[in-house]
Amino acid sequence: MPTPGTEPRRGAPPVDAAESPADIVHHHEPHAEAPTPAVKRAVASKKPAASTPVVETAPVKLDEVKRGADLAFKSATGLSAGLIVTIVGFIAVFLLALAVPALGRNNANFLTSNEWDLGSKFSFGISGLMWTTVFSSIIAMMIAVPIAIGVALLITHYAKGALSNTIGFMVDLLAAVPSVVYGLWGLRVLGPVLVPVGEFLSKILGWIPIFKPGLLPSPGTVFTASTVLAIMILPIVTSISRDVFAQTPRDNIEAAWALGATKTEMIRTAVIPYGRSGVTAAAMLGLGRALGETVAVMIILSTVQELDFSIFGGGETFAARIANGAGELDSADKTGAYIAAGLVLFVLTFVVNAVARTLANAGKVKA
């Protein structure tokens, strides 16, 4: 029943007298839709996730690194390197110890004199030996290195297949020829052939001291010996240059092709710069081989007493003088004179190898 003095609104639901005002207000407030029975069952079925149990595992035991083999190899390599240095040092000390007494009794200037008399006068000098040794080796290098580079480029970039292998095999075969064969061939076959060449060059370039006619006309000239030396060192320079040119990175070659370079330009801009250090080292190794050659030069060269600056004259190298004077090694002083000459050749070869290493390292292409 409505309270006296109040009328229910039209359209409003009847108010139950048992409901309190708070219930009436709550009845008319908006509220979320009640969950369905399916949702209630799903929520009820969910259980709190149990914590993941921590499984304790035994620690992994790694095998102990065994460095015994590495240490043994390192020790062996160090011992080998030390042994080589020790041997070279002993050779230097041996030469110096035996040469100093003879140099102290020498009656001539060892570096500037060309006299070699180990008799009563006991005077000896190496100026002529130094000139002939260095001069003949340089001429041999001037002949051999350009030919070796050309042959190496032919084998690696021009000739293919069987032709390349055949040329390489024939060049390598030159290294197997004994020195005595080169000497006899140079004196009997090559020397007479080069005599007209020497006469022609003397007539045309005779105003230059090194092209003047020799003091002793003979096939056994420095020019002949230098040509034979060039043939002897050709396999060394060619072999190393060939290996260096063959290792030119393909990217460098393809880059040159991509820029429109011809084959000659590709070789000049990509192959030769990459192999410059290797070719330099090969040339220096060939020079060391030429400086120390004994038998072939001893057979070919005609010995002269005076210092002859012409390439068409005779002379004697350090190695040839020592080999020719082996019969005079009957006293300590005479032996010391020859050992002093050998000491100079030892130092000269050492300097050449040091220069070769420096030039090779300086000429390496940096990535």
Side-chain angles (χ1 to χ4, degrees), residues 214-259:
L215 300 177
L216 181 63
S218 169
T221 63
V222 174
F223 183 52
T224 304
S226 301
T227 306
V228 173
L229 286 176
I231 299 173
M232 296 180 70
I233 67 178
L234 188 65
I236 301 175
V237 184
T238 303
S239 178
I240 298 177
S241 301
R242 177 185 60 195
D243 293 340
V244 172
F245 291 153
Q247 294 175 5
T248 304
R250 193 65 192 175
D251 292 343
N252 296 11
I253 297 176
E254 294 295 340
W257 290 129
L259 292 174

Side-chain angles (χ1 to χ4, degrees), residues 27-319:
H27 179 76
H28 292 284
E29 286 183 352
H31 59 277
E33 184 180 356
T36 61
V39 174
K40 291 181 179 180
R41 288 195 300 270
V43 172
S45 63
K46 288 184 178 180
K47 296 180 180 179
S51 59
T52 304
V54 178
V55 180
E56 296 183 0
T57 58
V60 179
K61 186 177 181 180
L62 300 176
D63 292 338
E64 184 180 357
V65 179
K66 298 180 180 179
R67 301 186 180 277
D70 292 340
L71 293 176
F73 182 75
K74 181 180 179 180
S75 302
T77 54
L79 181 63
S80 301
L83 181 62
I84 293 175
V85 174
T86 303
I87 291 174
V88 174
F90 277 146
I91 293 175
V93 171
F94 165 77
L95 294 175
L96 191 62
L98 295 183
V100 168
L103 291 173
R105 298 183 180 91
N106 187 13
N107 296 314
N109 191 306
F110 179 66
L111 296 177
T112 61
S113 174
N114 188 42
E115 187 178 5
W116 194 276
D117 183 4
L118 301 182
S120 58
K121 193 175 181 180
F122 197 74
S123 57
F124 57 93
I126 61 166
S127 61
L129 303 179
M130 178 71 76
W131 169 259
T132 306
T133 301
V134 175
F135 193 41
S136 61
S137 299
I138 292 176
I139 296 175
M141 294 296 298
M142 294 173 63
I143 297 173
V145 172
I147 297 176
I149 294 175
V151 174
L153 291 174
L154 173 67
I155 294 174
T156 54
H157 291 89
Y158 288 95
K160 302 296 181 181
L163 180 59
S164 175
N165 295 334
T166 302
I167 296 174
F169 173 76
M170 296 302 295
V171 172
D172 293 339
L173 193 61
L174 292 175
V177 179
S179 298
V180 64
V181 175
Y182 276 117
L184 294 174
W185 174 77
L187 180 64
R188 298 297 181 183
V189 178
L190 184 62
V193 173
L194 294 179
V195 169
V197 178
E199 294 175 352
F200 174 77
L201 292 177
S202 297
K203 186 180 298 184
I204 300 299
L205 303 174
W207 53 276
I208 303 176
I210 62 174
F211 292 107
K212 288 182 178 180
L215 300 177
L216 181 63
S218 169
T221 63
V222 174
F223 183 52
T224 304
S226 301
T227 306
V228 173
L229 286 176
I231 299 173
M232 296 180 70
I233 67 178
L234 188 65
I236 301 175
V237 184
T238 303
S239 178
I240 298 177
S241 301
R242 177 185 60 195
D243 293 340
V244 172
F245 291 153
Q247 294 175 5
T248 304
R250 193 65 192 175
D251 292 343
N252 296 11
I253 297 176
E254 294 295 340
W257 290 129
L259 292 174
T262 63
K263 193 159 194 173
T264 303
E265 292 171 341
M266 180 273 293
I267 292 174
R268 181 172 56 85
T269 58
V271 177
I272 293 180
Y274 179 82
R276 185 183 296 116
S277 61
V279 173
T280 302
M284 292 298 121
L285 288 176
L287 179 59
R289 172 75 171 85
L291 290 172
E293 177 54 38
T294 304
V295 177
V297 177
M298 182 180 66
I299 294 174
I300 294 172
L301 280 178
S302 300
T303 305
V304 293
Q305 299 299 325
E306 300 180 20
L307 181 57
D308 195 351
F309 291 99
S310 174
I311 64 174
F312 304 119
E316 206 169 15
T317 63
F318 283 107

